[in-house]
Amino acid sequence: MFTTRQSGDYNTSYTKRGLMKMRTLDLSAARSLFSGYCELRAGENTNESIRLLNGDVVANARSTGGGVCARVCRGGGWGFASSPEQSNDSVKAVLKAAGENADFMASKFRGTVLSLPGNPGAGKESFRPGGERLTQKDKLDFARSLDSYIAEKYRNLMSRMVVLSGFHQERALITSDGADYYSYIPRAHVFVMMTADKDGTPIDLVSRAFGGLGEFEDFLPRIDEIHEIVDRHYETLMKKRDGVFAEAGVKECILAPDLAGILAHEAVGHTVECDLVQSGSVAADLLNKPVASELVNMVDFAHHAFGEICPVPIFVDDEGTKAEDAVLIKDGVLKGYMHNRQTAEAYGVAPQGSARAFGFDDEPLIRMRNTCILPGESKLEDMIASVEDGYYLSNPTNGQADLTSEFMFGVAMGYEIKKGKLGRAIFNTTVSGVAFDMLKTVTAVSDDLLWLSSGFCGKKQPASVGMGGPAVKCKINLGGK
């Protein structure tokens, strides 16, 4: 489906979309201006959004923003500067300003001079679809046709919403220690929200997003698959409409893969980002100690997992480090953190490419890439059959977690489990607990896997991420009516 370009010229057929500035900008010509450790980056982010509410277009937008930036480390001081202008003059200007900022910081704070170990990456990775490009009108017409399908087939809905959401990130990077990398990573999703009526009370549910790595040209032609998702979503909503409230308390539950994935990201992943470890995360005192059941294994994958490309493939990070997988939990034991070059040096380990920046005017932060609880050996049907009185929970909504690994998430869909069989659907509820305690109660992990990639992670700046998991059987605190 995708074409990965390891070498050669950039795809010139794409120049009509206004991305020529990055291709005519020769970052390598600025190497002679480098002094100390330097990173020079050019980037453009493109956002697309089309939203229909009950057939009315309420959003139809496409925006692109980009520029250049430089980050310099000299004498133990760091300096950063950026410009929204992509030109050779602006490259010179940001390098000069970043260097001056680094010198100023070094003179005031007398920081430790760093060697900043790295594994410089080079090459080109582009996931551009071939063939004829869709116009914004084409995408809007598709959204209208999908809305009409729902409106004509399911006339008893209170409301319906169709959303097309795209985010495309293009960047070029060179560093003073030899990194030279270009990437174009697009992401496109389609999802719907339906609302039904239950005695005057609205009951709503958002469908699982259809799409992933690629652009709308890759996904919109697969209309039959999208209709199947819509039909299953409607059936699920009708079960929820006739549902019951969950019983509050600590319950034996099976977390569906989507819920296990977001738990891995939010409640565990952030605690092992090393900048947050240094800021007081509970994981600072847990390295090489048990934090979960022996059945739990967790990895932050760089670009490939289980023989396939990851939802958000990172081959080289924004410090120029070649990206490698980071093993976080192995057989229940916390084995490592995610690092940038600076924290890797402090901990005496090799950086694995976890430093990422969102925009051209953002400095790289330690970020997750594709964080996943690894599949186990149990069959989901056997896991359900083993529960005498509990719940199967799915469709996570908004929530929060902190650096103690304490979490609370909304759950938009679920089912009772009675004597090993799925029962009635339940209304919206919540799950909460301390992740490193809850994970110790895991008694089964399914042999399947689901990736999610439609959202953004917020940590001072957004980041596109993948998160995945199998179904997990555990004990967890459940909210009631």
Side-chain angles (χ1 to χ4, degrees), residues 216-229:
F216 289 115
E217 286 79 1
D218 296 300
F219 302 116
L220 298 192
R222 294 155 57 186
I223 186 63
D224 290 342
E225 294 179 50
I226 300 175
H227 285 174
E228 288 177 9
I229 288 176

Side-chain angles (χ1 to χ4, degrees), residues 6 32 53 60 65 170 190 217 262 282 305 320 326 401 404 414 417 432 461:
Q6 301 286 351
S32 62
L53 176 62
N60 180 16
E170 182 179 24
V190 179
E217 286 79 1
I262 196 169
V282 66
T404 68
I417 304 177
S432 61
Q461 52 183 265

Side-chain angles (χ1 to χ4, degrees), residues 49 89 127 129 137 146 256 293 314 338 342 345 404 424 452 458:
S49 178
D89 287 342
F127 295 86
K137 181 180 182 302
L146 182 57
S293 157
I314 304 298
M338 288 168 277
Q342 191 169 354
E345 180 171 354
T404 68
R424 297 173 295 181
L452 305 175

Side-chain angles (χ1 to χ4, degrees), residues 114-130:
L114 303 172
S115 59
L116 297 174
N119 182 14
K124 297 184 178 75
E125 299 290 344
S126 179
F127 295 86
R128 302 185 190 278

Side-chain angles (χ1 to χ4, degrees), residues 4-23:
T4 303
R5 301 174 63 85
Q6 301 286 351
S7 59
D9 296 331
Y10 303 145
N11 187 342
T12 56
S13 67
Y14 223 62
T15 59
K16 64 183 181 180
R17 297 193 62 183
L19 301 181
M20 273 297 291
K21 288 183 180 179
M22 280 191 59
R23 294 191 187 84

Side-chain angles (χ1 to χ4, degrees), residues 431-453:
V431 290
S432 61
V434 176
F436 288 139
D437 292 336
M438 183 277 292
L439 288 174
K440 291 177 181 176
T441 72
V442 171
T443 55
V445 178
S446 73
D447 60 359
D448 57 352
L449 173 73
L450 174 70
W451 283 109
L452 305 175
S453 66

Side-chain angles (χ1 to χ4, degrees), residues 186-261:
R187 192 175 65 162
H189 291 91
V190 179
F191 58 91
V192 301
M193 174 184 281
M194 297 180 186
T195 304
D197 176 83
K198 174 67 180 274
D199 300 326
T201 299
I203 306 294
D204 57 28
L205 192 63
V206 179
S207 73
R208 183 166 296 160
F210 178 83
L213 176 63
E215 299 203 57
F216 289 115
E217 286 79 1
D218 296 300
F219 302 116
L220 298 192
R222 294 155 57 186
I223 186 63
D224 290 342
E225 294 179 50
I226 300 175
H227 285 174
E228 288 177 9
I229 288 176
V230 168
D231 294 340
R232 289 197 301 269
H233 179 59
Y234 176 80
E235 293 173 5
T236 303
L237 176 64
M238 292 300 103
K239 292 176 182 178
K240 180 178 178 179
R241 184 189 62 176
D242 297 328
V244 296
F245 287 101
E247 182 180 342
V250 177
K251 303 293 181 182
E252 187 170 44
C253 294
I254 295 174
L255 309 184
D258 55 356
L259 186 52

